[in-house]
Amino acid sequence: MTILHCTPSSPISVNILDSPQRRRTTIRCSVKIPKNILNATDSGSSKFSLCPCGRRHFLGEATTTTPFLPIPPSHAAQTNSSEVLNKLRPPKPDWYFELYGWFRSSGMERYEKEIAGYKKKLFNQVGNAEKVLEIGIGAGPNIKYYNTLPNVSILGVDPNPKMESYARKSAIQAGLKSEDFKFIHAVAECIPLEDASVDAVVTSLVMCSVTDVTQTLNEIKRILKPGGRYLFVEHVAAEDGSFLRMVQNVLDPVQQVVADGCHLTRPTGESIIKAGFNGGVDINKASLTSFYHLSPHIYGVAYN
């Protein structure tokens, strides 16, 4: 198991525990934390914050003494989200959305059984979250892991509108009240939610298929409350020079076509570390036998 810790104010510390000797190796290096919010000052004294997907929020002079209170997304912001959706994910025929929705609902059972142990361990770290956003919710296979949270409400984001019926069915099966689940048709790069509005964000097999990983991570940081948690389970590129990496390199173009833009060779763990979460990042590695080309996995928590 590998655990990575990163904070923006200190170098990265990577602790590697190797079996059977259980040796501990510490690697320290410095990373430059990218900015995800652009600030601009107009001709007056008021300040504005421009979020990564183009929304503009009024801060005002009161922010020097009071917490930041973002303005709810306007109609223009909602329209912008739709424009980004259509740009990054051009509309496809209904049959395509239906087919992929069916596959995510029925074709991933073997995978979900094998990954269940890791997910249970991970979702126990969601804390006392009451508002959870899952990006790329798909057919909702993770909803059952939230039913132990009291007063929880789930927001599910997905660019495939046909996923809503599958996700709602999973919510009902998990015992979630219908009013406690909301489906949002949008892309991860531009989510129509307020700044600092959710307690936890979850992605599961999502970063492989988003158009812009960095932009997606900036959105996650934007919508998370201070102290909020980002939980992730993602397949990643195999080690350079390995046979599996060679297989991934060959299959990657085909995978993108048949699996709705999924990339096999993304270094997602490195991207999450470089995103600069204030509270650091814990990352674990796992290997699976199901879907061999997706075997290298990372799962963990980033603290906002």
Side-chain angles (χ1 to χ4, degrees):
M1 179 179 71
T2 303
I3 304 176
L4 308 183
H5 300 283
C6 174
T7 61
S9 60
S10 63
I12 299 177
S13 174
V14 183
N15 294 323
I16 306 175
L17 300 181
D18 300 322
S19 298
Q21 295 87 358
R22 309 295 291 174
R23 295 182 291 107
R24 180 179 296 271
T25 303
T26 300
I27 305 172
R28 298 181 66 81
C29 59
S30 298
V31 296
K32 182 179 180 181
I33 303 303
K35 295 181 180 180
N36 69 310
I37 296 179
L38 302 177
N39 294 321
T41 305
D42 65 3
S43 57
S45 60
S46 298
K47 292 183 179 180
F48 295 83
S49 174
L50 187 64
C51 90
C53 68
R55 293 180 212 120
R56 208 179 190 195
H57 300 292
F58 179 69
L59 291 175
E61 293 298 322
T63 53
T64 58
T65 57
T66 58
F68 170 51
L69 299 175
I71 292 177
S74 63
H75 174 71
Q78 297 281 359
T79 302
N80 185 55
S81 178
S82 298
E83 290 175 352
V84 175
L85 167 66
N86 291 329
K87 181 180 179 180
L88 298 184
R89 293 282 180 143
K92 292 183 173 69
D94 278 354
W95 67 263
Y96 177 89
F97 286 129
E98 289 281 9
L99 179 63
Y100 194 67
W102 171 84
F103 171 74
R104 289 299 299 268
S105 176
S106 305
M108 298 291 286
E109 292 182 0
R110 187 160 57 96
Y111 169 84
E112 289 297 336
K113 286 181 180 179
E114 185 170 1
I115 199 70
Y118 297 107
K119 284 188 175 182
K120 288 178 181 177
K121 185 187 304 183
L122 176 62
F123 288 115
N124 283 338
Q125 302 181 59
V126 73
N128 296 319
E130 293 187 354
K131 194 171 185 179
V132 177
L133 169 70
E134 181 164 348
I135 301 174
I137 194 166
N142 298 324
I143 295 179
K144 60 180 177 289
Y145 297 109
Y146 311 134
N147 59 9
T148 58
L149 299 173
N151 305 317
V152 69
S153 62
I154 308 297
L155 301 172
V157 170
D158 206 285
N160 184 342
K162 299 300 181 181
M163 290 297 188
E164 180 173 5
S165 59
Y166 294 106
R168 287 196 176 278
K169 181 179 178 181
S170 296
I172 293 173
Q173 292 175 343
L176 196 68
K177 297 178 181 178
S178 60
E179 61 267 25
D180 291 332
F181 176 79
K182 180 180 179 181
F183 183 88
I184 302 173
H185 183 212
V187 287
E189 292 86 349
C190 191
I191 301 172
L193 293 177
E194 300 176 16
D195 296 2
S197 59
V198 300
D199 302 303
V201 175
V202 174
T203 65
S204 176
L205 302 185
V206 169
M207 291 300 178
C208 59
S209 59
V210 298
T211 303
D212 191 327
V213 175
T214 300
Q215 178 77 358
T216 298
L217 291 167
N218 286 340
E219 278 289 84
I220 290 172
K221 292 193 299 177
R222 181 185 67 81
I223 61 181
L224 269 176
K225 294 178 180 178
R229 301 181 180 188
Y230 164 43
L231 286 71
F232 52 88
V233 181
E234 301 288 347
H235 70 82
V236 296
E239 185 177 352
D240 286 338
S242 65
F243 175 76
L244 178 53
R245 181 59 179 270
M246 183 182 68
V247 172
Q248 289 179 332
N249 290 337
V250 172
L251 294 180
D252 192 50
V254 178
Q255 179 79 2
Q256 293 178 43
V257 174
V258 302
D260 201 28
C262 171
H263 294 70
L264 295 175
T265 58
R266 283 186 171 172
T268 301
E270 296 176 15
S271 298
I272 294 174
I273 292 172
K274 292 178 181 178
F277 285 89
N278 291 329
V281 180
D282 292 341
I283 298 183
N284 305 288
K285 290 185 177 181
S287 296
L288 307 179
T289 57
S290 301
F291 299 93
Y292 171 71
H293 60 300
L294 305 179
S295 175
H297 266 53
I298 59 169
Y299 65 98
V301 183
Y303 303 89
N304 203 32

